[in-house]
Amino acid sequence: MGEDVGHYGGSYKVTKGLAEKFGDLRVLDTPICENSFTGMGIGAAMTGLRTVVEGMNMGFLLLAYNQISNNAGMLHYTSGGQFKIPVVIRGPGGVGKQLGAEHSQRLESYFQSVPGLQMVACSTPYNAKGLMKAAIRSDNPVILYEHVLLYNLKERIPDEEYVLCLEEAELVRPGKDITILTYSRMRHFVLQAAKTLVERGYDPEIIDIRSLKPFDLFTIGNSIKKTHKVLIVEECMRTGGIGASLRAAIVDNFWDFLDGRPECLSSQDVPTPYAATLEDATVVQPAQIIVKVEQMLQGLI
């Protein structure tokens, strides 16, 4: 359910064809009223349905913050386990191409502290499908973050059914010199930077953390124990973002395995500008990743 998800097929055509296939009772076009239809989705999940709620833009779901935090996240606990909340809340977010401040939100920082919510971020067609299927099957409320600039990615995916684990990170590139932790669109920026780093003789290990809550500390820890250096690259805000929480978890659990402090590249703590050059300046770019990795591996920081 959501705005224009039915006969229009979604603002980014993610739900194209579903209304014709499943009908108006399973694919619901809603009014522009996020608080109401998110609450309706959560209530439907309480009765046993498995609901998928789309925010046309993830920033709009701030209007449903009460429903998501006080109801979706907490009702299983506050009902003494009488209710399960198998709801998936999904939609496009992140910094697009001149979408302006209100349409460039990264809501993972807003929702990470809400008890009871799981959060995952997809970065490829393969893991988008696998994580979506896993989220729908989960009895927990799951927020699935899709990046507005990744919808045009194409990839051959298996014909047979597959479901990914919601709590597992993905080893994207094995390496021995440094661990780079990232997710969503920044995965592709890190891979761009890695091409240059490899040409210059470095061997970075790249992990797409995918699960933003909880973190897959088993995969992350094994990598840090091998490389002894870690860089976090995110599009989230620096203050109170996923990188800040991940860095704290790394310090708490793997301090003795580190040769230096964990470093983090994040977006600037400013509203995202509309002007393209200023917008780019607020977000981590591949060149910054290259410089930071070289500084860390050369012992300059």
Side-chain angles (χ1 to χ4, degrees):
M1 62 182 68
E3 298 153 3
D4 287 335
V5 300
H7 295 283
Y8 183 67
S11 56
Y12 292 93
K13 301 305 177 187
V14 175
T15 53
K16 184 179 180 181
L18 292 187
E20 290 75 12
K21 184 174 182 179
F22 295 109
D24 293 341
L25 293 179
R26 292 187 64 187
V27 184
L28 306 182
D29 278 318
T30 66
I32 301 174
C33 192
E34 284 79 11
N35 188 46
S36 295
F37 70 72
T38 303
M40 181 170 68
I42 295 166
M46 291 172 65
T47 70
L49 297 179
R50 295 187 176 270
T51 52
V52 180
V53 176
E54 176 183 302
M56 181 185 285
N57 180 281
M58 289 298 268
F60 303 162
L61 291 178
L62 289 175
L63 296 165
Y65 193 92
N66 176 65
Q67 299 283 14
I68 297 170
S69 59
N70 283 332
N71 294 333
M74 299 186 188
L75 272 171
H76 180 66
Y77 176 81
T78 57
S79 69
Q82 295 179 76
F83 295 113
K84 296 177 181 177
I85 319 293
V87 63
V88 180
I89 299 168
R90 51 154 296 274
V95 178
K97 290 291 187 184
Q98 295 183 269
L99 297 179
E102 294 177 3
H103 290 67
S104 302
Q105 295 273 28
R106 283 75 91 196
L107 289 198
E108 53 265 38
S109 61
Y110 291 72
F111 288 117
Q112 66 172 327
S113 62
V114 177
L117 295 180
Q118 274 192 273
M119 304 196 310
V120 291
C122 58
S123 54
T124 67
Y126 176 83
N127 66 37
K129 180 180 180 180
L131 292 173
M132 169 67 87
K133 292 170 79 74
I136 292 172
R137 285 158 172 72
S138 174
D139 286 333
N140 297 316
V142 178
I143 302 180
L144 175 62
Y145 296 95
E146 303 164 11
H147 199 286
V148 67
L149 292 183
L150 297 185
Y151 284 134
N152 61 347
L153 291 180
K154 293 184 178 181
E155 178 184 17
R156 183 171 295 279
I157 58 176
D159 292 327
E160 62 272 10
E161 184 177 24
Y162 68 95
V163 180
L164 299 178
C165 177
L166 292 174
E167 293 86 22
E168 280 186 5
E170 176 189 354
L171 177 61
V172 179
R173 183 192 188 278
K176 66 179 188 308
D177 290 341
I178 186 172
T179 298
I180 305 179
L181 305 175
T182 189
Y183 66 93
S184 189
R185 179 193 179 202
M186 285 296 131
R187 167 185 174 140
H188 303 280
F189 278 25
V190 169
L191 286 171
Q192 273 184 256
K195 292 178 182 178
T196 300
L197 290 168
V198 170
E199 289 172 359
R200 296 180 183 180
Y202 302 109
D203 187 18
E205 178 149 298
I206 301 170
I207 293 176
D208 184 342
I209 63 172
R210 292 198 307 208
S211 177
L212 309 185
K213 182 184 178 186
F215 296 130
D216 179 5
L217 292 179
F218 178 79
T219 299
I220 293 168
N222 282 343
S223 180
I224 291 172
K225 291 173 185 177
K226 177 174 61 174
T227 66
H228 309 294
K229 291 181 174 62
V230 61
L231 171 63
I232 302 164
V233 181
E234 63 175 349
E235 194 179 88
C236 202
M237 300 300 189
R238 185 168 187 82
T239 300
I242 294 297
S245 297
L246 183 54
R247 181 150 52 170
I250 290 169
V251 169
D252 285 347
N253 291 277
F254 308 113
W255 178 257
D256 291 341
F257 300 98
L258 290 168
D259 287 343
R261 70 173 187 259
E263 295 289 337
C264 187
L265 290 172
S266 311
S267 291
Q268 302 295 315
D269 286 333
V270 297
T272 303
Y274 174 76
T277 52
L278 295 178
E279 181 183 69
D280 285 345
T282 68
V283 180
V284 179
Q285 299 297 327
Q288 294 171 268
I289 301 169
I290 295 167
V291 170
K292 179 68 77 170
V293 170
E294 289 189 319
Q295 288 175 337
M296 293 177 69
L297 293 179
Q298 293 170 11
L300 299 178
I301 54 174

